[in-house]
Amino acid sequence: MNEPGEAGGDISGIGADPVAFEAFYRRHLEAVGRFVARRIDDPHLAADLTADVFLAVIESADGYRPDRGSQVGWLFGVARNVIGDERRRAAQRLRVTGRLAGRRDLGPDDIARIEERIDAESAARRTYRALSELPEGTRTLVELVAVDGLTVAEAATVLGVSPVAARVRLHRARRVVRAVLAYPAATTLA
């Protein structure tokens, strides 16, 4: 029998089992940290959102269904939702207050580690900027497959589309992305 949190294992109980949750957390922390750092360039927010992903995992673990996709696919879906929720909240706060407040203090080592992770993911952020012309669902599909390493079927599950539709969208998107990335970085960032 698989341990909770292992590939193919039952993780539905990790919300109530601290030992199983800790094993799951340790196994997936680096992947979630990279996932967040590819999308967020503020080290404080990246650290907070990484923690928020695992809080969301505790709350939603009983909803994981192995027959609908891998644990990593499910986990990236949770992370995507957490990041999307934060972006919506931040946009609302910016409209109301003009500036985010209340971030927790990080030590110099924490900031250095997160800044290194953000620097390591700078090429991925350039790719995201290049993808900005694609429709949101197609862009997310490309990210999940090309950047996050999910299979097309797993990405289709995260997005709630059929694997066939995902393959067609991915094929079309790859042509667009190749054309956009063929331009120099200054053109893409302008």
Side-chain angles (χ1 to χ4, degrees), residues 31-33 35-36 39-40 49-50 52-54 56-57 60 72-87 144 148 158:
V32 171
F35 185 94
V36 172
R39 291 156 177 84
I40 304 296
L49 289 178
T50 299
D52 288 348
V53 168
F54 286 101
V57 162
S60 62
V72 172
W74 174 79
L75 182 59
F76 284 174
V78 170
R80 180 176 173 262
N81 290 338
V82 166
I83 291 168
D85 289 346
E86 174 56 28
R87 285 184 174 153
L144 290 170
D148 297 316
V158 169

Side-chain angles (χ1 to χ4, degrees), residues 3 11 16 31 38-39 43 46 53 56 71 79 83 86 91 97-98 107 109-110 118 134 136 142 154 159 166 169 188:
E3 292 289 322
I11 61 169
R38 281 191 288 272
R39 291 156 177 84
V53 168
Q71 289 177 17
I83 291 168
E86 174 56 28
T97 66
D109 291 341
D110 295 326
I118 288 169
L134 294 173
E136 182 181 347
V142 172
E154 290 170 333
L159 296 174
R169 288 182 190 176
T188 304

Side-chain angles (χ1 to χ4, degrees), residues 14-15 17-26 54-55 57-58:
I14 65 173
D17 182 350
V19 173
F21 174 75
E22 181 178 356
F24 181 86
Y25 173 82
R26 289 180 186 276
F54 286 101
L55 290 174
V57 162
I58 289 171

Side-chain angles (χ1 to χ4, degrees), residues 159-181:
L159 296 174
V161 299
S162 75
V164 172
R167 282 186 199 91
V168 170
R169 288 182 190 176
L170 190 59
H171 175 72
R172 291 176 182 160
R174 283 179 174 153
R175 283 190 303 210
V176 171
V177 170
R178 279 188 212 111
V180 170
L181 289 178

Side-chain angles (χ1 to χ4, degrees), residues 13 41 46 55 63 68 93 95 122 130 138 142 150 159 165 168 183:
D41 59 4
L55 290 174
R68 296 188 66 205
R93 283 190 302 259
R95 284 190 294 273
S122 65
T138 302
V142 172
L150 296 184
L159 296 174
V168 170
Y183 294 102

